[in-house]
Amino acid sequence: MHVSHSLVPSALAFALAAVLPAPAAAQATQADLYIDVATHTMPGMAGLGALGRVAGAMGGGNASYGMARHPGMPGKYMDVALDNRSKPGAPASQAIPRDLRLGDKIDLLPPERKTQDGGGADGATANVALADGGPYTIRYYWGCGEQVRAGQPAEFTMSVRNGKPVHSGRAMTPRSVPQHGINPGPQHALWPNPANRKSVPAKASLVGAHHVTGDGLPGSMQFDLGREHDFLPELKLEREATDQGTQLRWNGVDGARAYFIHATASDGDTIVMWSSSEDGYAGPELVDFLPESLVAQWTKKRTLLGADARNCKIPREVFTGGAPMVQMIAYGNQRTISQPGWRVHVRNKSTAMLMPSGGGAAPATTQDAAKPAAKDGAKKLLKGLFGR
């Protein structure tokens, strides 16, 4: 599940750069290194991570650049991207701490051509072809508690005509989430890459000294990372169905600044969504890295749950056909290390996913037999809506 993302300077930024004097450090910047790290769990599916790694090893490795944004299998993920403006796309080497358990260095290489053309991990879901159908009913709830709030659910219908969604009613508008990552192109050098798709070991740690070397890079590109910018601990999410709703509980993740939860279920041609936001609609676009300033702002507005939150209840009326798919994120820290000639940008997060389950043991019917196909259509529709 990868979302297309980019960091492209605007025309205004170029214009300002042409007329305003930049600081000496900014003028001298030759290279930016981006390091995204993520920890992902799927509670209730113990051992799946190990099985997934074994399957990946048998297939020659399963890691690819972009998986830290939206991990699939449980485990630790790391994406490294180098933007070397002196030698765009030139291979480079990053000496790493022994505790990262990936050897003494990792090689940064330019992306495969299919990634540049939009067929790789970051561009594959930019455009999703939708099959004509519908109408689908979309219902959205928000807020933790035992009772559905007044004015909920927000509801609209959607049909797909000629491959494009057609709304009827007031559709929800996704939150504006700044994209501070990169859209890898031929000017970058990446890890993982076609020559090395090795998964990050379960006990890996980034803490320690790093040194990036390569043609056109400053010789001083050395930096240390501390525990606050290491892989975050696992987010251990649990749910319990009660007469009053679905109780969600989780551990406190050391280093987490805030939390957010989003849940989705489909029943025939109806898609039901809910989030832990207290101030209105917030969709799966928030299950991603967020700037620390936005995390602080949205925590104050109660879009996000505070760092001290440990539980949240989904009202009983929201999901009546079985337990939904639940996605949760613990937002970590961001750091930019700036030195003359280079910068390093590091960010981390921890995520968890609870898979959906069916409802009670109702008799099988022709309508029930048709539900898998309807759910497949609903999933495609959600991808079209949110790029997920």
Side-chain angles (χ1 to χ4, degrees):
M1 298 181 289
H2 307 293
V3 176
S4 176
H5 58 286
S6 62
L7 183 62
V8 182
S10 65
L12 177 60
F14 278 120
L16 289 174
V19 298
L20 296 178
Q27 291 175 341
T29 298
Q30 297 170 236
D32 282 278
L33 186 74
Y34 300 86
I35 304 177
D36 289 350
V37 292
T39 305
H40 183 58
T41 63
M42 297 178 69
M45 302 186 74
L48 185 59
L51 288 173
R53 292 181 190 281
V54 170
M58 293 175 64
N62 63 345
S64 62
Y65 184 86
M67 293 181 72
R69 290 288 303 275
H70 302 290
M73 304 295 285
K76 291 182 176 179
Y77 295 82
M78 179 176 71
D79 291 336
V80 183
L82 174 66
D83 184 1
N84 180 359
R85 285 176 281 283
S86 296
K87 294 287 184 178
S93 178
Q94 181 175 338
I96 55 177
R98 185 169 65 176
D99 285 346
L100 192 50
R101 300 171 185 261
L102 291 170
D104 57 359
K105 66 182 181 66
I106 57 175
D107 294 322
L108 310 180
L109 302 175
E112 295 177 280
R113 181 173 299 276
K114 66 178 182 179
T115 301
Q116 300 167 21
D117 294 338
D122 298 280
T125 56
N127 296 293
V128 178
L130 300 177
D132 287 2
Y136 301 97
T137 298
I138 317 293
R139 294 188 186 129
Y140 192 85
Y141 300 82
W142 58 92
C144 302
E146 294 187 356
Q147 303 293 327
V148 169
R149 317 297 171 82
Q152 296 187 33
E155 182 174 311
F156 70 100
T157 60
M158 172 184 287
S159 298
V160 180
R161 296 291 179 264
N162 299 320
K164 297 182 179 180
V166 179
H167 299 99
S168 176
R170 184 177 179 182
M172 291 83 74
T173 302
R175 300 269 177 150
S176 178
V177 178
Q179 300 298 335
H180 291 292
I182 67 158
N183 188 21
Q187 74 274 26
H188 296 105
L190 312 175
W191 188 95
N193 51 60
N196 192 334
R197 298 189 183 279
K198 186 176 181 180
S199 298
V200 177
K203 295 183 179 180
S205 172
L206 281 164
V207 174
H210 299 250
H211 185 194
V212 183
T213 57
D215 192 12
L217 293 175
S220 62
M221 202 166 181
Q222 303 180 53
F223 57 96
D224 289 321
L225 294 180
R227 296 201 175 279
E228 69 274 22
H229 300 103
D230 198 6
F231 297 95
L232 290 179
E234 291 185 350
L235 180 55
K236 298 177 180 178
L237 177 63
E238 300 178 349
R239 68 178 160 203
E240 177 187 1
T242 70
D243 292 340
Q244 289 76 39
T246 301
Q247 182 70 55
L248 300 174
R249 298 185 181 88
W250 58 92
N251 60 313
V253 174
D254 290 341
R257 293 178 174 268
Y259 301 95
F260 175 74
I261 312 170
H262 189 272
T264 308
S266 61
D267 184 7
D269 290 334
T270 298
I271 299 172
V272 181
M273 295 183 286
W274 167 92
S275 85
S276 56
S277 170
E278 294 289 336
D279 68 339
Y281 174 80
E285 66 274 6
L286 270 64
V287 187
D288 197 355
F289 295 102
L290 292 180
E292 287 187 358
S293 59
L294 194 56
V295 169
Q297 176 186 335
W298 280 352
T299 302
K300 186 175 181 180
K301 291 183 176 180
R302 301 181 70 188
T303 307
L304 308 180
L305 299 169
D308 58 347
R310 297 293 181 269
N311 62 80
C312 172
K313 181 172 287 187
I314 304 176
R316 179 186 58 187
E317 297 91 341
V318 177
F319 298 109
T320 59
M325 180 184 75
V326 180
Q327 295 176 282
M328 184 174 183
I329 181 169
Y331 300 100
N333 298 288
Q334 293 187 336
R335 181 186 182 191
T336 296
I337 304 169
S338 297
Q339 294 293 331
W342 56 272
R343 292 175 298 198
V344 175
H345 313 269
V346 187
R347 56 186 183 175
N348 57 11
K349 65 176 181 177
S350 186
T351 55
M353 177 183 289
L354 296 174
M355 298 303 290
S357 64
T365 65
T366 302
Q367 182 177 359
D368 292 333
K371 284 184 179 180
K375 288 184 178 181
D376 288 342
K379 290 178 181 178
K380 291 181 180 179
L381 184 63
L382 287 173
K383 286 183 178 181
L385 281 168
F386 303 108
R388 300 296 297 253

